[in-house]
Amino acid sequence: MAAWSCRFLLQRGTRLISLRAAAESPVQLVGCVRTYMRKNEPWQRHEWTEGSRRVGLVAVKLGMAPIWTTTGERHVVTMLQVQDCHVIKYLPKEEYDGCTAALIVGGKNVSPFYRSESELEMFRNAGVPPKQKVTTFKVSDNALIKPGTPLYAAHFRPGQYVDVTAKSIGKGFQGVMKRWGFKGQPATHGQTKTHRRPGASGPGGDPAKVFKGKKMPGKMGNTYITAHGLKIWRVNTKHNVLYVHGSVPGHRNCLLKVRDTALPTRSSTLLNPPFPTYFSEEEADLDEDLYDDNLFFHTEPSLTLT
Amino acid sequence: MTPRDKTRFCAHGFRTNSHATTGRSDMAACVKGLDKFTFSLRLIRNLQLQNERYLSTSLCRSAPESNADPPRFIPPSKPVIIDKTQPEASKRKFLSPEFIPPRQRTDPVKFSMERKDMIRRRKVLDIPEFYVGSILAVTMADPNASGKVNRFVGICIQRGGKGLGATFVLRNIINNQGVEICYEVYSPRIQKIEVLKLEKRLDDNLMYLRDALPEYSTVDPDMKPVNYSHTGEVPVNKIKVRMRPKPWSKRWERPNFDIQGIRFDLCLTPEQMAHAQKWAKPWEEYDMLKEYDTSQLEKEIFLEVQQEMNK
């Protein structure tokens, strides 16, 4: 109840105060809303602690390329470009799920003419152009970021592991062999019109039914799939491109959600990350390309294996 | 100052003044743009390789490459002109095929980033110009080889892939065993690529050498490099290869392969050739959706690559 009234007051306040006006009279907020809800002041920054979760990014899948390590092994990487990633909204934990706070982050800029008014209002409040993909990231309380902050690829560093979520390529209505990997039936030896069919659908008279969740033909793909534990080999700060190990779900130019890994064995690689995110005004002295230690970069002379 | 010294002096990229070219007023008609030439280091290195011969002033075109009488030393009687009649523009323009991006719905940023990496690698390792049909020698680092390097000489039968993953396949017959090795052009294990003989063939893909007589795929591993010029056209070897009896690994007579370099008259009857033409697709040449005109792209990419390499 209190949260609703605070939100109402905040909305009224944003309509009254223009974005460009200085914060002469900060909006009087009631109850549970914290002091950093003031319009034009930066939010407080905290240090990284064990167990804190920071925000992720929305990236575009560009394509794949080969890379080589210093020992001469060849791996493939996917290039993900972070295009116009902004934090759009902050959801305190009471609004989100009662446990953790969340930050809504948006990806690529798109035209405002094909977006509904409610969405456009959200973007207007944050002061960002309308975005194509809008996702929520669960975030711990010390990693909150003010809505409107841009997020860059340098948020992730080489050597770190990430999880990438995207909608897989849609294959349409597919049969059981392609969708579930059934073996089908032989091509010859008397098979009558049965080569790719599912065969039996369950046990016999005792259940006398087909169990729920039986693997059958249906629409395949176009669902959200997460690839876990992908290493970041290289970060290009000029074009905001991440080079991520292996393959990633989705077609070229699709939008993906990139987060720090949830895998416990890889959490040790996340030591002193830019927390809560990488701010270009402060850390302006990063090289154009950040490489992992084991990565061979092409300006070095050819390898001599010993 | 001897003419030879003048060459070396010039090799460092200084422009000579016209006062150095005395006594050649009669050659003035032949020699163009005397004050405006620029020296190319590579050309001079190449010239030095060509038995230290200098371009004769009476020839305005590229020097003849005959090594017919090596011991005969031709002393340059007149002051040497190196490449003055051949400004940079007449050097053969070659853009490696892996630079041209395929026809895809990919963001051009991805191709430009890959191109930057490719150029960085090319600045470290000299990847020469070569075509399918040229004879190459590749030295690669190998942990299992003695001396840790591995040199393979072979004829290039295929160039595939785009971007950093570009590959080429070298074929040779060693101890009566045909060997094909597929190398990645930008792999860091490759330490040296030498072109022993630069030539083109009638086809872009010489996979049919697998079904040809072994003499056409044998290359001497200790072959010496044959000198080639960097100007003018690449020599085309119009050889037509004799094949082993059928069956072949692929039906090379079919029009989808479009092979010019096989002597079909020796291995197939005219009826078989006519039968193979049943698989012809004469409409493909008029299919507008399959058109991919890369001429504009090639020009832009060539300029970009040239600028970056000269930096």
Side-chain angles (χ1 to χ4, degrees), chain A residues 148-167:
Chain A
T149 3
L151 300 172
Y152 300 102
H155 178 84
F156 294 114
R157 293 297 158 92
Q160 187 190 341
Y161 288 76
V162 286
D163 291 342
V164 178
T165 313
K167 264 202 174 168

Side-chain angles (χ1 to χ4, degrees), chain A residues 64 68 74 234 253 302-303, chain B residues 105 110 117 184 188 191:
Chain A
M64 297 181 75
W68 288 270
R74 182 190 191 263
R234 179 176 160 185
N253 302 326
S302 305
L303 292 180
Chain B
R105 279 173 159 194
K110 189 238 179 192
D117 272 336
E184 287 190 307
Q191 291 171 352

Side-chain angles (χ1 to χ4, degrees), chain A residues 233-249:
Chain A
W233 284 102
R234 179 176 160 185
V235 175
N236 183 309
T237 43
K238 187 176 165 203
H239 297 279
N240 270 330
V241 173
L242 297 167
Y243 286 63
V244 145
H245 186 88
S247 57
V248 131

